[in-house]
Amino acid sequence: MALLVILVLASMAQVSYCGGAAIDYGKALSKSILFLEAQRSGVLPGNQRVAWRANSGLLDGKANGVDLTGGYYDAGDNVKFGLPMAFTVTMMAWSVLEYGEQMGAAGELGHAVEAIKWGTDYFVKAHPEANVLYGEVGDGDTDHNCWQRPEDMTTSRQAYRLDAQHPGSDLAGETAAAMATASLVFRRSNPGYANQLLQHSKQLFDFADKYRGRYDVSIPVARSYYGSVSGYGVSKLSSDDKMNILWRHILFWSTSNSCVMSMQDELLWAAAWLFQATADGKYLDYLANNADALGGTGWSTGQFGWDIKYPGVQVLAAKILLQGKAGAHGAVLRRYRQKADFFACSCLGKQGGSGDVQRTPGGLMYHQRWNNLQFVTSASFLLAAYSDSLAAASGAAVQCSSGAAAPSELLAFAKSQVDYILGSNPRGTSYMVGYGYTYPQEAHHRGASIVSFKSNPAFVSCHDGYSSWYGRKGSNPNLLDGAIVGGPDEHDDFADERNNYQQTEATTYNSAPFMGVLARLAAGHGGRGRFGRSFPDELATAATERDNKTSVLPAADDGKHASPVAIEQNATRSWTEKGRTYRRYAVTVTNRSASKTVHELHIGIAKLYGPVWGLDKARYGYVLPGAAPSVPAGGSVMFVYVHAAPPANVWVTGYKLV
């Protein structure tokens, strides 16, 4: 009987159940990698498995005198956007580093490594000189006015580049991260290629750090589609959508220096991966010495994606700490870890107040109506990876405002999100095309929605694509197998219609992190990640106390606390009017650092039912008044508010310490 129980538990570890139907994580893993083959540009290889695709973009870069064939189309269009492509490759590589052994057991490691190399081969071409990086081929404006197979493209294929006069620290930094991470994947199996990638990565990091600037200023055609504003995930949104999403869901924003802020996370992200790839202490020094100035230990968010890397940086830093590799930087890395805990607690719903990520009635994390699942797949991977790192460190727990969370709780929550995506949801719908009994049939995707070039090579014009195929009712003629679409809205509702691009368009960066967490779940209880401990052989914030009188957030810059900024509230006056007791609260914000100045301080206030004086309302919270407000070392500022209620919840959303 005991043996039977063990066997049953072992088999259950690899599947979950929804309405009696088993969820096969291994099958979903296979399909998630397959989707990336449908997104390939260039000359397709002989082992291409998505048979309805053919060669495309064969003249990319020619007008610029450089070969830019290859790479990936980002979504349902035919543009090669550099920033989301680089994030896709970084997350595919991290997935392999973390769970490559599990992918090997599922028979998918070779396919995953090929998918990574398809991206890095392109990046090598796109980086022909130390301080030159081609960041985009094609443009969204002409492409979105055309519904055409990639094999028929007649839209602009102009290439756009970054250089010393036209910098892009965010894009160069993310590409550096992708190549550093990928170099680890190829370190044993192809050391020459790994060295090549590492050389490109180092040059790109130096370029990103030396020539500071935002890539969508240098490449303005990218701004409406993948604008770099660190954390808002506002690709392809109207201005009204952007404002609504940012106000509801984003936990930080730098109003006084958004151009600088937008590239800070990528610089830290690249440095973290270069340290992992090289073990060179100068990159760890960079990560630690710039933790305050670049916001790594100052910003808290529950969102991780192609434009917001802070949680990824924070988890990587926490992993370095947990593995005993912090060296002299233990204090700073502990502060990074506290922010990693904030991310995990926010996802779990244990942070409290407005720090928790919203959920749908069915339990799905919800950030925005346009492609919400991009944040769910990324968060699920990050939670799984962090869970395994904590478990390996003798089961260290995450510290949340409402109490500790064990590593198993992180993994269980990640699994719940994966299960929802694969069909365990109120609609019983799988949001992975081709998986399950009910899945999207009308994905918003040019190539999938038009008859295959191989079946009918007759030219399809932009106009013909719209008139004959875009508005056509019924399933797409080509199965976009493995694609993760945008997903349901905040009410768990979903409309499977081709023109409903907010919900039915799929992207590469939805799938890349999903690969990793699917491999983890497919392996069951024995599938703990190995990155940072050993490689597979085949791969060469303490809780804030609040009461009716005083609220204090202790802090110091010795690394023992989450922030050098302290907040203290006191009720200084009360009176009764029309049967209600009003109180005046004075809030003192103190910079406890001994030598550094707090800049760009952002204050969050929840449960406020009256006016506030001494702060300016910003788009995403409150800031100190003035053009360039700051709090010097040892200094304090004060604001007051009045309402007929207990003290409001007041916290530090973000800051820079310089």
Side-chain angles (χ1 to χ4, degrees), residues 575-582:
W575 66 95
T576 301
E577 183 177 327
K578 294 183 179 180
R580 302 184 68 188
T581 299
Y582 289 84

Side-chain angles (χ1 to χ4, degrees), residues 118-139:
W118 192 266
T120 53
D121 283 351
Y122 172 78
F123 293 145
V124 169
K125 296 177 182 179
H127 182 225
E129 302 173 35
N131 294 334
V132 172
L133 175 65
Y134 283 88
E136 182 172 327
V137 179
D139 72 85

Side-chain angles (χ1 to χ4, degrees), residues 186-199:
F186 295 102
R187 176 53 56 199
R188 294 188 181 181
S189 62
N190 193 343
Y193 187 62
N195 289 338
Q196 182 186 18
L197 295 180
L198 200 53
Q199 182 64 22

Side-chain angles (χ1 to χ4, degrees), residues 213-483:
R214 206 173 76 187
Y215 98 100
D216 62 357
V217 174
S218 297
I219 305 178
V221 294
R223 192 176 306 150
S224 296
Y225 302 92
Y226 289 98
S228 179
V229 286
S230 277
Y232 305 138
V234 291
S235 59
K236 307 177 185 176
L237 295 178
S238 70
S239 58
D240 288 342
D241 286 336
K242 291 179 183 178
M243 291 303 99
N244 291 334
I245 289 164
L246 298 182
W247 173 248
R248 291 201 315 270
H249 303 296
I250 303 309
L251 300 180
F252 61 86
W253 169 254
S254 173
T255 55
S256 61
N257 202 350
S258 61
C259 181
V260 174
M261 162 120 178
S262 65
M263 63 195 178
Q264 293 172 349
D265 50 346
E266 280 87 5
L267 291 171
L268 295 171
W269 179 240
W273 279 116
L274 276 164
F275 174 69
Q276 296 284 5
T278 66
D280 188 332
K282 73 178 184 181
Y283 295 112
L284 182 58
D285 292 343
Y286 187 98
L287 183 66
N289 295 339
N290 292 282
D292 290 322
L294 297 184
T297 54
W299 297 98
S300 309
T301 178
Q303 190 179 90
F304 175 53
W306 61 264
D307 188 42
I308 170 60
K309 316 297 166 32
Y310 280 121
V313 173
Q314 290 154 0
V315 167
L316 281 176
K319 288 168 74 71
I320 295 170
L321 178 69
L322 292 167
Q323 293 159 9
K325 300 177 181 178
H329 299 302
V332 176
L333 295 191
R334 281 192 290 274
R335 293 171 57 204
Y336 271 112
R337 182 185 168 187
Q338 288 167 342
K339 296 302 182 181
D341 282 6
F342 180 98
F343 171 80
C345 298
S346 178
C347 293
L348 292 173
K350 301 184 72 170
Q351 189 57 38
S354 358
D356 290 337
V357 175
Q358 180 183 344
R359 296 191 199 177
T360 68
L364 181 72
M365 286 188 289
Y366 186 79
H367 292 274
Q368 63 184 47
R369 59 189 173 187
W370 194 313
N371 191 15
N372 180 62
L373 289 186
Q374 64 176 303
F375 302 116
V376 180
T377 60
S378 294
S380 297
F381 170 82
L382 202 56
L383 290 170
Y386 194 27
S387 168
D388 286 338
S389 293
L390 291 165
S394 303
V398 167
Q399 300 302 319
C400 302
S401 295
S402 59
S408 59
E409 190 173 347
L410 274 65
L411 184 61
F413 181 70
K415 178 180 178 297
S416 75
Q417 300 301 289
V418 173
D419 290 353
Y420 184 108
I421 292 171
L422 296 180
S424 184
N425 57 63
R427 292 177 53 87
T429 296
S430 165
Y431 295 105
M432 174 182 277
V433 175
Y435 180 88
Y437 298 112
T438 304
Y439 55 81
Q441 302 290 321
E442 297 187 31
H444 180 89
H445 190 277
R446 285 159 175 76
S449 66
I450 301 174
V451 63
S452 169
F453 182 84
K454 290 185 175 180
S455 299
N456 184 356
F459 177 74
V460 177
S461 69
C462 294
H463 179 269
D464 289 342
Y466 270 117
S467 61
S468 301
W469 296 100
Y470 179 73
R472 173 180 169 271
K473 300 299 181 182
S475 302
N476 288 339
N478 307 307
L479 183 66
L480 196 62
D481 218 0

Side-chain angles (χ1 to χ4, degrees), residues 94 125 141 156 221 233 270 468 507 527 554 581 583 657:
W94 192 359
K125 296 177 182 179
D141 292 339
S156 169
V221 294
S468 301
T507 70
T581 299
R583 289 183 174 88
L657 194 65

